[in-house]
Amino acid sequence: MTDRPIGSARTESPITPDALKNGSRRRFLTTTLATGGALATTALVPATARAQGEPDPLITEVQPWASGFGDGVDETPYGLPIHFEDHVVRRTVSWLTADTISSINFTPIHALDGTITPQGCAFERHHSGAIELSKADYRLMINGMVEKPLVFTYEDLERFPRQNVTAFLECAANSGMEWAGAQLNGAQFTHGMIHNMEYTGVPLRLLLEEAGIKLEATWVLAEGADASSNARSFPLEKMLDDVLVAFKANGEALRKEHGYPVRLVVPGWEGNMWVKWLRRIELGDQPWETREETSKYTDTLADGTSRKWTWVMDAKSVVTSPSPQAPITHGKGPLVITGMAWSGRGGIKRVDVTVDGGKTWKEARLVPNANPMSLHRFYLEHDWDGSEMLVQSRAIDETGYVQPTKDALRGFRGLNSIYHNNAIQTWLVKANGEAENVEIS
Ligand code: MTE
Ligand code: CO
């Protein structure tokens, strides 16, 4: 463990306000290059090498990447992350993914920042595999209690007025493995069944109005084109409110695994309702009680009865760094604690962070976000004294709802649940900077 300041900003540096006042920065750089050797032993040595009094060749020597050409503009018609970032990928948990067809993987949230999840590393959940459905073969049927049953092609959908909505999708099973105790060692695995994208699509309301909603219709079924169909019942009000029939995510076509060419976007509601490869919408006057809403996606309470229609995702947050996959490597001193918060009931009002297991809390700096149903990013600039920490975050949403502790949640819900675990997460950060998933009560 070294005890050092960040970079050279806090040590004597030749880029002082005076140096900038007395001449341009360019002139300063010319001077240092000309006298490189002499200066290198002082200000140009980065903190690590400076401790040993050695010059840093990355500063003093011309490097290979500056002595020749880089790649031409036609080398990467469609870009992928640079290979140094190869570890920032979706991952699975072997005992959860029995096969790759009915499967789940997890977003590497510990390594991301900001709020938008790139499609390439956004978690996937399929009940019968990711299907390949072309725009040409795409059809969306609206039937049931409508004046005029309709079938739309992909091109038809493109002719309706569009909206952009940034929203998180959280699988109801996110953190489900943590009900009985701390289990998976990493934010990616405990909280990574979530992603947040900017969707472009047509409000479902416009398509329903085109078909003409019969007065007696109160419920809507949405069904996918894959073998599982993932059919779910929705109250009509939600479908008329903010549900989108989406064909773009983060500006580009949906990836196959996220429902290409068209999926349902259901802001604030559990991921299972975001039907992928959307093929049919039926209107009726009662719910369909499909497999996905009877045997699955209900919460078994302590007395054995089940809660159902638990569509809205309650406020939740997690510290993504430091965390088990994102340990502290720089020693004590300035530390950026960061994470994300979200609520299906509206925007996040406040996030508190504790480093002492909840004895004292500090209000984190919440990055303003105009999209209430989006992930929200928070930061807490902390001066770490190098001792062990119990780090937690606690989200409070616009309704005043406060994210519960694990004990409190188990108090209401018992231990039989899988879905809808929105409890506060604890990371034990040790003096060596490594972190571990723990529980405190
Ligand atoms: N839609 C269809 N047609 N088939 C599916 O298997 N899985 C659901 C939902 N929509 C599913 C589906 C579940 S459980 C979740 S959490 C989300 O899609 C996952 O969306 P993603 O794969 O884009 O992350
Ligand atoms: Co899910």
Side-chain angles (χ1 to χ4, degrees):
M1 287 282 294
T2 54
D3 173 11
R4 61 176 176 79
I6 299 175
S8 56
R10 303 171 86 235
T11 59
E12 206 185 320
S13 159
I15 312 179
T16 58
D18 280 347
L20 291 174
K21 244 185 272 153
N22 298 340
S24 69
R25 191 189 152 120
R26 174 181 285 276
R27 203 178 86 207
F28 157 74
L29 287 174
T30 317
T31 320
T32 53
L33 282 179
T35 57
L39 275 171
T41 50
T42 55
L44 293 185
V45 183
T48 33
R50 189 162 52 237
Q52 298 146 22
E54 285 164 20
D56 182 351
L58 285 167
I59 294 291
T60 58
E61 308 291 327
V62 176
Q63 298 297 320
W65 50 84
S67 340
F69 294 118
D71 293 340
V73 290
D74 53 354
E75 297 280 327
T76 42
Y78 194 94
L80 286 174
I82 194 166
H83 63 90
F84 302 127
E85 299 294 314
D86 278 354
H87 57 287
V88 184
V89 288
R90 299 189 272 235
R91 290 185 193 278
T92 56
V93 170
S94 56
W95 54 266
L96 270 176
T97 308
D99 58 67
T100 55
I101 302 302
S102 173
S103 55
I104 182 92
N105 59 22
F106 300 86
T107 308
I109 53 171
H110 63 287
L112 302 179
D113 212 318
T115 57
I116 294 295
T117 317
Q119 287 199 67
C121 67
F123 92 97
E124 308 160 63
R125 168 73 175 117
H126 325 297
H127 293 80
S128 53
I131 58 166
E132 202 173 289
L133 176 57
S134 71
K135 287 179 184 170
D137 289 341
Y138 182 75
R139 298 290 184 274
L140 172 61
M141 177 161 101
I142 300 190
N143 70 330
M145 291 181 175
V146 288
E147 302 297 341
K148 184 174 46 157
L150 289 174
V151 173
F152 300 89
T153 63
Y154 185 86
E155 277 189 333
D156 292 337
L157 295 181
E158 284 186 309
R159 298 176 67 186
F160 282 86
R162 277 172 227 171
Q163 271 180 10
N164 287 188
V165 171
T166 302
F168 71 84
L169 179 166
E170 183 182 19
C171 180
N174 199 21
S175 316
M177 297 76 72
E178 304 292 307
W179 266 106
Q183 183 158 223
L184 296 170
N185 216 26
Q188 176 167 19
F189 306 110
T190 55
H191 290 74
M193 289 186 205
I194 192 161
H195 51 64
N196 191 61
M197 304 190 202
E198 185 202 52
Y199 297 94
T200 304
V202 178
L204 178 60
R205 178 178 50 81
L206 298 182
L207 305 182
L208 294 177
E209 283 168 1
E210 190 78 8
I213 304 165
K214 285 200 169 157
L215 269 180
E216 58 270 35
T218 47
W219 285 84
V220 180
L221 181 84
E223 182 184 86
D226 54 330
S228 83
S229 95
N230 195 84
R232 291 291 308 250
S233 310
F234 299 74
L236 179 63
E237 306 88 77
K238 177 68 175 174
M239 294 307 222
L240 295 176
D241 180 16
D242 59 355
V243 171
L244 218 57
V245 173
F247 36 78
K248 294 272 159 71
N250 298 341
E252 61 182 356
L254 289 164
R255 295 279 164 83
K256 175 176 101 177
E257 55 270 36
H258 301 301
Y260 181 96
V262 175
R263 91 173 303 163
L264 213 56
V265 164
V266 192
W269 286 28
E270 65 186 10
N272 186 257
M273 308 192 76
W274 295 49
V275 177
K276 302 193 273 192
W277 313 290
L278 180 68
R279 75 176 282 272
R280 193 169 71 90
I281 300 281
E282 184 179 337
L283 275 70
D285 58 4
Q286 55 189 354
W288 281 256
E289 308 278 0
T290 69
R291 171 187 180 275
E292 299 294 307
E293 53 205 23
T294 50
S295 77
K296 305 288 173 197
Y297 302 100
T298 59
D299 301 316
T300 308
L301 303 176
D303 65 0
T305 59
S306 286
R307 287 199 316 171
K308 66 174 188 173
W309 309 143
T310 46
W311 302 305
V312 184
M313 299 308 288
D314 280 321
K316 185 165 168 181
S317 69
V318 64
V319 169
T320 50
S321 179
S323 66
Q325 298 157 288
I328 307 172
T329 53
H330 56 60
K332 70 183 184 181
L335 166 70
V336 173
I337 299 177
T338 187
M340 52 202 213
W342 60 98
S343 167
R345 299 191 192 275
I348 291 292
K349 192 168 76 183
R350 202 177 91 203
V351 177
D352 298 326
V353 170
T354 177
V355 295
D356 56 17
K359 288 189 201 116
T360 58
W361 294 89
K362 269 194 184 155
E363 185 172 343
R365 189 162 55 83
L366 197 57
V367 178
N369 191 328
N371 300 286
M373 298 303 188
S374 164
L375 288 186
H376 289 57
R377 172 63 54 178
F378 65 84
Y379 298 101
L380 182 75
E381 288 78 21
H382 179 63
D383 190 12
W384 185 38
D385 64 7
S387 62
E388 203 166 273
M389 293 186 282
L390 286 167
V391 179
Q392 300 177 327
S393 62
R394 173 176 74 187
I396 300 160
D397 72 14
E398 267 172 13
T399 68
Y401 173 93
V402 182
Q403 184 183 358
T405 62
K406 276 192 163 184
D407 282 348
L409 191 67
R410 288 182 189 136
F412 324 128
R413 299 265 303 278
L415 277 172
N416 297 327
S417 280
I418 300 170
Y419 306 111
H420 303 284
N421 176 0
N422 69 323
I424 290 174
Q425 170 67 42
T426 312
W427 305 125
L428 165 68
V429 181
K430 301 175 200 157
N432 67 3
E434 284 169 12
E436 211 177 283
N437 180 7
V438 297
E439 261 190 25
I440 51 174
S441 45

